[in-house]
Amino acid sequence: MEIKVFDSPEEIASVCADEFTALLTSKENCVLGLATGASPVPTYKELVRRYNAGVISFKHASSFNLDEYVELPRNDKNSYYTFMHENLFNSVDIDEANVHILNGNAEDTAKECADFDAAIEAAGGIDIQLLGIGTNGHIGFNEPSSSFSDGTFKVKLTDSTIKSNSIYFTENAMPRYALTMGIQSIMKAKKIVLIATGASKAEAVKNAVKGEVTPMCPASVLQNHPNCIFLLDTAAASLLG
Ligand code: PGA
């Protein structure tokens, strides 16, 4: 695990966008693992800027998003479908047919999850997986638990996650369940880039980087990934010593 510390979210975005640029310009049919939340927003802004400048194209790329809420209409302002379109897809040349976002309204969620993992395999596996980290150490919606999850699955969200994300749900109740790529789905990515900013993430970052590898801090599993970078600001890195 490589740790890089920066002064600002913009510097992190630039370095993270460099990782995507290197991939997009060297492998036409590359497979992107994408994340939602506040952490990746500056990176998506930078990728849109580079797309507009003619530096990168998403024309032949595919994307797979980490997670989606269950039983939230796809076009709800807080769905991750909406988030990804507003923050990236509507502003670049990605082919909608190559965009994969879990359907949290699928009748058969087990099938939806199995089909998602199969689609990742069929695309050749994820080249770069972007991650945020929850204040409780979650990655995707893999919440602290007694065991590491395997493939994509339906998860009950913890109180900590509901508290963190309910600020966005001003008009309707926040869903209590989500579909998420599992720990093993995430660990199969060829490269993983995790972004964490702000003091609220410092404890989770410390546990992920310096603590024991335990499903009680799901991000700690990344210590076992052969090609993983943490991009942190000084506040998120403040407990690393
Ligand atoms: P955030 O969420 O980027 O909005 O802080 C990260 C996460 O919960 O995984």
Side-chain angles (χ1 to χ4, degrees):
M1 177 187 272
E2 192 183 346
I3 311 291
K4 293 185 177 175
V5 183
F6 302 89
D7 289 331
S8 70
E10 290 70 31
E11 284 173 74
I12 292 175
S14 170
V15 171
C16 190
D18 287 348
E19 294 286 344
F20 280 93
T21 300
L23 176 65
L24 288 160
T25 54
S26 64
K27 185 175 177 186
E28 214 180 34
N29 298 311
C30 62
V31 182
L32 312 177
L34 300 177
T36 52
S39 307
V41 169
T43 296
Y44 293 148
K45 276 206 179 94
E46 178 60 15
L47 289 174
V48 169
R49 193 192 67 74
R50 291 184 193 196
Y51 166 72
N52 286 328
V55 178
I56 51 175
S57 165
F58 295 78
K59 203 170 169 56
H60 301 289
S62 321
S63 73
F64 290 85
N65 259 82
L66 276 172
D67 44 20
E68 178 59 285
Y69 291 113
V70 163
E71 286 177 17
L72 188 67
R74 190 173 87 158
N75 291 319
D76 188 277
K77 74 178 174 64
N78 286 310
S79 77
Y80 290 160
Y81 177 92
T82 299
F83 177 100
M84 286 310 305
H85 285 80
E86 285 181 350
N87 284 283
L88 184 65
F89 299 150
N90 289 349
S91 306
V92 298
D93 60 347
I94 198 160
D95 181 345
E96 191 66 32
N98 295 333
V99 165
H100 300 85
I101 298 180
L102 283 154
N103 176 6
N105 294 292
E107 260 177 45
D108 184 346
T109 49
K111 181 175 185 309
E112 174 69 14
C113 294
D115 287 352
F116 192 78
D117 284 330
I120 294 174
E121 291 286 321
I126 290 171
D127 289 303
I128 293 186
Q129 178 65 57
L130 185 57
L131 294 178
I133 184 172
T135 53
N136 63 2
H138 75 199
I139 47 177
F141 273 135
N142 289 275
E143 302 283 37
S145 148
S146 56
S147 60
F148 285 119
S149 59
D150 188 3
T152 300
F153 70 112
K154 180 176 173 178
V155 64
K156 186 173 188 340
L157 301 175
T158 60
D159 290 346
S160 148
T161 296
I162 290 167
K163 187 169 169 229
S164 298
N165 290 14
S166 56
I167 50 165
Y168 300 113
F169 288 84
T170 49
E171 284 152 30
N172 46 1
M174 181 178 153
R176 275 10 188 190
Y177 289 86
L179 304 184
T180 183
M181 278 169 60
I183 291 293
Q184 295 316 324
S185 324
I186 293 170
M187 289 294 277
K188 281 185 192 162
K190 291 160 199 153
K191 182 165 200 167
I192 295 179
V193 181
L194 182 145
I195 295 177
T197 56
S200 68
K201 300 293 173 68
E203 186 73 31
V205 166
K206 183 184 85 174
N207 292 337
V209 174
K210 299 226 152 173
E212 63 167 323
V213 175
T214 164
M216 291 312 292
C217 176
S220 65
V221 77
L222 300 172
Q223 292 176 30
N224 293 336
H225 193 281
N227 194 6
C228 175
I229 314 178
F230 275 37
L231 303 178
L232 310 173
D233 70 357
T234 47
S238 61
L239 298 179
L240 291 181

